[in-house]
Amino acid sequence: MNIILLGPPGAGKGTQAGKLVSKHGMVQLSTGDMLRAARSSGTEMGKRVAAVMDRGELVTDDIVIGLIGEALDEAAASGGVIFDGFPRTLAQADALGDLLAGRGQGLDAVVELRVDDEALVERITGRYSCGDCGAVYHDRTKPTQVDGVCDVCGSTNLQRRADDSEESLRQRLMEYYKKTSPLVGYYHAKGNLRVVDGLASMEAVEAGIEAALAR
Ligand code: AMP
């Protein structure tokens, strides 16, 4: 099963992708995570995209399409792929269709996590995560039990994303509405779109996604 989680920054794509990975043995392909990894390992490409990412703009289509092409080859033996944060433009959506078709595969569903903007600003600006195990926290709704210590693995390496400032988030939202939200219509027209209320509790969103996938 190959699925896309679609939605603006902070809609919960990464969190829900993590749940699908543990339940269904799928592979999560997050272009945001791949780009951050390229930055922290200091590759040429990582250096080129750093400033663009910090401003909250999209990196060029050819970079992310290249990353996804390589990752799809590595994921070939998995139980399916969850695309998280990709595609973000119509050109990327077309390229993904071609990449899958070239491997004799297709998309099974595109799940849109629908949320409103004010909720997103609040969600994102309070967000932090464990740099070691990836557990996600929030200043107001889900702080760590002990200040500065990850509940899951005990690490003190808690991090905030450089692009989770309010200014960068506004830019990311603008990019979403200008370039990514047309994909809602695109996949609707293709008959793949399923909409889930992304503002419900984490458990309700998870159940909504499972129901959407079972349809
Ligand atoms: P994310 O973790 O998905 O919020 O992505 C963080 C940042 O990485 C975005 O704000 C973009 O600068 C860049 N990025 C991630 N995925 C893509 C993509 N599919 N196309 C273009 N830029 C991307």
Side-chain angles (χ1 to χ4, degrees):
M1 185 159 66
N2 295 319
I3 66 173
I4 294 174
L5 292 181
L6 188 63
K13 300 184 298 291
T15 303
Q16 294 296 335
K19 292 179 183 294
L20 289 166
V21 167
S22 42
K23 278 187 295 188
H24 299 294
M26 299 173 77
V27 171
Q28 173 184 4
L29 297 187
S30 158
T31 39
D33 286 349
M34 294 176 202
L35 292 166
R36 279 185 287 279
R39 284 181 70 163
S40 47
S41 57
T43 65
E44 267 316 303
M45 185 268 279
K47 288 181 200 153
R48 264 190 290 140
V49 298
V52 177
M53 290 175 75
D54 287 346
R55 284 198 301 273
E57 294 167 10
L58 294 188
V59 309
T60 56
D61 288 335
D62 49 336
I63 290 181
V64 287
I65 291 166
L67 287 171
I68 285 288
E70 286 168 24
L72 272 179
D73 292 333
E74 285 164 27
S78 70
V81 172
I82 307 152
F83 297 96
D84 159 17
F86 180 92
R88 264 175 153 102
T89 63
L90 291 167
Q92 291 177 23
D94 282 336
L96 177 61
D98 293 344
L99 284 169
L100 290 173
R103 289 163 175 77
Q105 297 181 32
L107 267 180
D108 297 282
V110 177
V111 179
E112 182 198 357
L113 297 178
R114 201 165 275 181
V115 283
D116 80 49
D117 284 359
E118 286 318 308
L120 290 179
V121 175
E122 188 180 313
R123 267 193 191 181
I124 287 212
T125 50
R127 163 167 99 166
Y128 58 103
S129 66
C130 174
D132 291 335
C133 76
V136 181
Y137 299 98
H138 190 280
D139 291 327
R140 195 179 54 78
T141 54
K142 195 188 165 207
T144 51
Q145 280 164 10
V146 178
D147 203 22
V149 181
C150 175
D151 295 351
V152 178
C153 74
S155 165
T156 53
N157 181 21
L158 297 174
Q159 303 176 341
R160 283 176 202 270
R161 282 173 44 168
D163 60 352
D164 273 353
S165 67
E166 186 158 346
E167 190 189 332
S168 170
L169 172 61
R170 298 267 175 209
Q171 179 61 33
R172 283 154 70 203
L173 277 175
M174 187 59 81
E175 292 283 76
Y176 180 79
Y177 287 114
K178 283 201 300 205
K179 297 175 184 163
T180 310
S181 65
L183 298 187
V184 171
Y186 174 97
Y187 285 118
H188 175 71
K190 282 185 177 282
N192 285 337
L193 191 73
R194 328 264 163 96
V195 182
V196 170
D197 173 12
L199 281 182
S201 69
M202 211 185 285
E203 294 73 25
V205 175
E206 187 181 348
I209 293 176
E210 290 296 346
L213 294 181
R215 251 190 270 151

